Amino acid sequence: MALKRGGASGVGIGRGRSGGSRLALVVLVFFCVLSPLVFFFGRGLHTGDDNASNGSGTENIDWRERMALQHLSSLFSKEVLDVITANIDDSNPLSLDSFRKSNMSASWKIDGSEASFDNKPKVSADNMKQQTPKGMVTESSDEQSKFVDSPAKLARRQLREKRRLKRAAELVQQDEEVTVKLENAAIERSKSVDSAVLGKYSIWRKENENENTDSTLRFMRDQMIMARVYLTIAKMKNKLDLYQELQTRIKESQRALGEASGDADLHHSAPERIKAMGQVLSKAREQLYDCKLVTGKLRAMLQTADEQVRSLKRQSTFLSQLAAKTIPNAIHCLSMRLTIEYYLLPPEKRKFPQRENLENRDLYHYALFSDNVLAASVVVNSTIMNAKDPSKHVFHLVTDKLNYGAMNMWFLLNPPGKATIHVENVDEFKWLNSSYCPVLRQLESAAMKEYYFKADHPTTLSSGSSNLKYRNPKYLSMLNHLRFYLPQVYPKLDKILFLDDDIVVQKDLTGLWSVNLHGKVNGAVETCGESFHRFDKYLNFSNPHIARNFDPNACGWAYGMNMFDLKEWKKRDITGIYHKWQNMNEDRVLWKLGTLPPGLITFYGLTHPLDKSWHVLGLGYNPSVDRSDIDNAAVVHYNGNMKPWLELAMTKYRPYWTKYIKYDHPYLRTCNLSN
């Protein structure tokens, strides 16, 4: 009954409310069957609204609407189609665009993995996926996925972000560390660069120094460097006008600089030249500046300058060595005039007085071997002038055949007061021959001649050999090696003081004969205050003979003022020891040429150190010798290349030597010898 009543009621309702039934039917069909199509058209209409601003929106809406109605007209009646059209309209609250807009304006609430609208029933993400047809992409899908990420995904995203930040910080830190390392390396390289002024033949002479501390001078030179850079680039880029202008400004600046060594020496036109050069450099920078080109040109200029400095340094070394080896014209003139005068003397007037003192062991005997008349005269004069009793001093001079007459004539004309003097010719020592003396035999060998005299030899003077100083002619002279034969030259003497010809005596030296040598053969001042004056500086310790017999850290000592005990010398056969080592060094593998290395070897363990005040060295190479040490020294030594009789001598040390020369002497005036 109920069913029947219900059916009747339903029919009545259908009949009385036909509009309501139709509306319910349309809604049911819309949500169950046509919702995808309605959503599609709503999406299209929304897109059309977005594109309406460019004039195509209305056309797209009409086109989509017509197509939809054409496809649906065959399936639904006119009433159903009217309802669909009404629901598509934006003004209708049930339209899909209205639903979308209210959806976008609603606020989201996140609770776990679910999302809901305010004041709307909660819909799960799975249900939303089921309601969305496959392949359909809604406008809010990206936003929705953004907000519905699970906590695990959010944690992973945060972790990835932290890792990116950490990696970026590490890279920045690495860049900073690399920069710091590069800066430190550059600083270390700058410290290792030799800061000595190169290219000067005498860097300690004040008159030759050029520190360029004046700012204007430096600025002009910097301008000229940049002008030369732009000059090359201008020529490369065919900017001939600018090239000519730069060339002109460079010449003007060079004329303004001249030989100036400071701002005070600059030409009065220097400020104008600086201004003009600045203007042309500014123009050149605007037209020509290219970082790569400028850097390359500066690097090329730096390399060229470095090569020039090296070449000038080699040339300076060669010239300084050449100057040290040669005898000035004035001294050569003096020697020639004295030689002529000597051989014009009758034989009876060529003899010195007091010949009986030459073998008197109670007197103070000196050995002086030299071929320089003026230098020998200073040694004798300074010794006599500072001696308490000149009559007790005996000078034994040995020279070569060329200077024998000059040496005799000088001391015959200028006798050393009451002192005794005797001059000998080394070429008359018949026992000093190549069969007895290893050095003479080696000097006569073909290898030694090639070493010294072959111009195409890779280690000759012209090639700038590092061993240039060992080719000094004094190493070829037996006068230099005669010091190892003192007992043979003076067989009747017990003690003798050996003096070089580049020393000046400032005090009485008689106290040296009373110094106890404690059984040693040689009394000398040690020179090991600095590491480079130890044995390893002079000897080749890679050779087993040297390494086995000597201590590389043993202290060196100086030739120039040496007290020799000739009795101990003979007892220990010092000359035989010297011959042994000299024979072993025939091919120069133990030491280079010279007399100090074989002296260190020969008198190893047989040298007694003297007080340093007896002998001060370095006046021929060291500009920093303490003035008080020089004034308190008994003997000052011009060891080195800057001999006091040469023009390249150090000015501040020269007066210690020149004070013992009488420049008003007729022979000195004739040969233009002046202070």
Side-chain angles (χ1 to χ4, degrees):
M1 243 172 111
L3 290 173
K4 184 178 179 181
R5 194 184 308 121
S9 300
V11 173
I13 293 171
R15 290 175 180 175
R17 300 177 182 177
S18 60
S21 300
R22 285 195 299 271
L23 179 61
L25 179 61
V26 169
V27 171
L28 181 62
V29 170
F30 176 77
F31 283 104
C32 295
V33 178
L34 299 177
S35 59
L37 292 175
V38 173
F39 184 84
F40 171 77
F41 288 114
R43 177 69 177 175
L45 291 173
H46 172 66
T47 306
D49 291 340
D50 293 341
N51 297 330
S53 60
N54 59 15
S56 63
T58 304
E59 183 181 351
N60 288 340
I61 293 172
D62 295 342
W63 176 80
R64 294 175 187 276
E65 193 172 330
R66 287 195 303 271
M67 291 296 294
L69 291 175
Q70 287 176 6
H71 284 85
L72 293 175
S73 62
S74 62
L75 298 176
F76 301 103
S77 64
K78 184 177 182 301
E79 294 178 350
V80 174
L81 294 176
D82 291 338
V83 173
I84 293 173
T85 304
N87 283 301
I88 294 173
D89 189 7
D90 287 345
S91 61
N92 194 315
L94 293 177
S95 69
L96 203 47
D97 270 1
S98 176
F99 176 78
R100 181 182 57 77
K101 290 176 181 177
S102 63
N103 179 14
M104 293 300 295
S105 62
S107 60
W108 285 85
K109 292 182 180 180
I110 306 299
D111 183 14
S113 62
E114 296 182 351
S116 64
F117 296 109
D118 288 343
N119 302 321
K120 299 291 181 180
K122 293 184 179 180
V123 181
S124 67
D126 294 338
N127 291 336
M128 290 179 66
K129 291 180 182 179
Q130 290 175 2
Q131 291 176 5
T132 303
K134 186 176 181 180
M136 187 68 67
V137 179
T138 65
E139 183 182 17
S140 61
S141 61
D142 292 340
E143 274 189 11
Q144 185 177 353
S145 65
K146 177 179 179 182
F147 289 103
V148 298
D149 279 347
S150 65
K153 290 183 178 179
L154 290 174
R156 285 195 296 271
R157 185 182 296 114
Q158 293 174 357
L159 186 61
R160 285 195 299 270
E161 186 65 22
K162 288 181 180 178
R163 282 200 297 266
R164 282 196 295 270
L165 293 174
K166 183 179 179 181
R167 180 58 180 165
E170 290 176 352
L171 291 174
V172 171
Q173 180 67 22
Q174 288 178 0
D175 291 342
E176 292 178 353
E177 291 177 355
V178 170
T179 302
V180 171
K181 288 180 180 178
L182 289 174
E183 291 176 353
N184 292 337
I187 291 171
E188 292 300 322
R189 285 196 300 271
S190 68
K191 290 179 180 178
S192 65
V193 172
D194 184 10
S195 60
V197 180
L198 303 178
K200 296 181 180 180
Y201 70 87
S202 178
I203 64 174
W204 40 80
R205 288 184 65 180
K206 292 296 182 184
E207 58 268 31
N208 291 318
E209 289 187 359
N210 182 15
E211 300 298 336
N212 297 330
T213 56
D214 297 270
S215 58
T216 305
L217 185 70
R218 291 202 310 271
F219 184 71
M220 289 188 70
R221 288 179 173 172
D222 291 343
Q223 279 188 327
M224 291 179 65
I225 290 172
M226 289 308 303
R228 290 189 180 98
V229 172
Y230 286 127
L231 188 72
T232 305
I233 299 175
K235 188 175 182 180
M236 182 190 308
K237 295 190 175 182
N238 204 27
K239 300 281 187 180
L240 299 181
D241 293 340
L242 188 57
Y243 177 83
Q244 292 294 337
E245 190 173 359
L246 283 166
Q247 208 167 35
T248 302
R249 298 305 180 202
I250 290 173
K251 290 179 180 178
E252 291 175 351
S253 295
Q254 285 176 336
R255 285 194 292 269
L257 277 172
E259 300 295 329
S261 59
D263 285 357
D265 303 328
L266 288 172
H267 193 266
H268 61 82
S269 64
E272 297 177 6
R273 303 308 179 203
I274 291 174
K275 184 177 179 180
M277 179 65 84
Q279 291 173 351
V280 73
L281 285 177
S282 179
K283 186 192 300 185
R285 180 178 177 82
E286 291 176 0
Q287 298 183 23
L288 302 175
Y289 184 78
D290 183 290
C291 184
K292 187 175 181 180
L293 285 176
V294 171
T295 304
K297 181 57 181 174
L298 286 172
R299 185 180 294 111
M301 291 175 67
L302 180 63
Q303 292 174 350
T304 302
D306 183 61
E307 291 174 0
Q308 290 176 348
V309 167
R310 292 177 184 275
S311 176
L312 289 173
K313 187 178 179 181
R314 288 194 296 268
Q315 184 180 1
S316 173
T317 303
F318 170 76
L319 291 175
S320 63
Q321 293 289 342
L322 185 63
K325 296 169 186 177
T326 56
I327 297 294
N329 286 336
I331 297 179
H332 181 69
C333 167
L334 176 64
S335 180
M336 293 299 100
R337 287 185 175 275
L338 290 170
T339 299
I340 293 171
E341 292 294 331
Y342 176 76
Y343 287 109
L344 291 176
L345 287 176
E348 63 273 10
K349 292 185 178 181
R350 298 179 186 176
K351 297 180 180 179
F352 290 98
Q354 304 173 355
R355 294 182 61 85
E356 66 279 3
N357 291 337
L358 297 180
E359 296 180 354
N360 187 345
R361 298 177 182 178
D362 296 328
L363 301 178
Y364 307 117
H365 295 267
Y366 300 86
L368 175 61
F369 308 145
S370 175
D371 57 359
N372 187 327
V373 175
L374 196 63
S377 71
V378 171
V379 175
V380 174
N381 290 343
S382 62
T383 305
I384 297 303
M385 290 176 66
N386 292 285
K388 294 178 180 179
D389 186 359
S391 63
K392 293 185 177 181
H393 296 264
V394 181
F395 292 91
H396 302 267
L397 273 70
V398 180
T399 188
D400 55 17
K401 186 188 330 185
L402 183 63
N403 294 281
Y404 176 74
M407 199 75 72
N408 276 281
M409 190 64 192
W410 176 264
F411 288 105
L412 287 171
L413 292 174
N414 306 280
K418 296 180 180 180
T420 303
I421 195 163
H422 181 227
V423 179
E424 295 181 272
N425 180 4
V426 67
D427 297 312
E428 293 180 357
F429 296 161
K430 301 304 181 183
W431 52 268
L432 196 62
N433 51 58
S434 58
S435 62
Y436 173 68
C437 178
V439 172
L440 275 176
R441 184 174 66 253
Q442 292 168 13
L443 291 176
E444 293 173 0
S445 67
M448 190 66 71
K449 290 178 181 177
E450 181 182 10
Y451 182 76
Y452 272 96
F453 302 114
K454 289 289 185 180
D456 57 347
H457 196 273
T459 55
T460 56
L461 291 176
S462 58
S463 67
S465 170
S466 60
N467 297 325
L468 201 58
K469 63 181 181 179
Y470 297 113
R471 290 175 180 79
N472 195 309
K474 70 179 183 180
Y475 299 130
L476 297 175
S477 171
M478 276 310 298
L479 287 176
N480 196 46
H481 296 271
L482 195 61
R483 65 192 69 190
F484 293 102
Y485 299 95
L486 289 173
Q488 287 85 346
V489 180
Y490 310 109
K492 300 292 182 68
L493 300 179
D494 293 335
K495 274 190 175 184
I496 195 166
L497 183 65
F498 172 80
L499 297 177
D500 266 341
D501 63 357
D502 55 354
I503 63 105
V504 173
V505 178
Q506 300 186 125
K507 294 182 179 180
D508 181 57
L509 299 181
T510 55
L512 286 170
W513 274 265
S514 61
V515 172
N516 187 356
L517 297 182
H518 300 283
K520 304 297 178 62
V521 180
N522 176 26
V525 171
E526 292 182 333
T527 58
C528 59
E530 312 227 1
S531 59
F532 58 83
H533 284 147
R534 297 185 182 274
F535 270 46
D536 58 354
K537 170 65 178 177
Y538 305 100
L539 304 177
N540 178 19
F541 275 86
S542 63
N543 187 284
H545 295 292
I546 297 294
R548 218 173 19 241
N549 292 282
F550 305 101
D551 178 9
N553 294 316
C555 189
W557 45 267
Y559 265 131
M561 190 208 71
N562 304 80
M563 176 59 69
F564 290 111
D565 186 335
L566 300 183
K567 292 175 66 176
E568 285 293 327
W569 183 306
K570 297 172 187 175
K571 187 185 300 183
R572 296 177 181 269
D573 190 20
I574 297 300
T575 303
I577 296 173
Y578 166 70
H579 282 176
K580 167 194 168 185
W581 287 103
Q582 193 67 53
N583 284 323
M584 294 173 64
N585 193 47
E586 186 167 359
D587 51 0
R588 300 183 302 281
V589 296
L590 304 184
W591 68 84
K592 300 296 182 181
L593 295 179
T595 54
L596 181 56
L600 295 176
I601 288 179
T602 302
F603 296 100
Y604 182 65
L606 299 174
T607 300
H608 174 74
L610 299 176
D611 188 273
K612 292 184 181 298
S613 63
W614 282 110
H615 186 189
V616 170
L617 299 98
L619 277 68
Y621 72 91
N622 183 5
S624 303
V625 181
D626 191 89
R627 177 66 178 270
S628 61
D629 291 342
I630 297 175
D631 293 338
N632 295 327
V635 169
V636 292
H637 193 174
Y638 292 84
N639 58 314
N641 288 330
M642 311 298 123
K643 303 300 184 186
W645 54 84
L646 301 175
E647 289 187 4
L648 50 79
M650 283 182 277
T651 306
K652 64 179 181 179
Y653 297 147
R654 207 161 183 265
Y656 296 103
W657 188 79
T658 57
K659 65 189 282 190
Y660 295 104
I661 298 177
K662 295 180 180 180
Y663 285 98
D664 59 349
H665 193 282
Y667 281 91
L668 300 187
R669 288 202 310 269
T670 303
C671 291
N672 296 320
L673 265 166
S674 59
N675 189 0

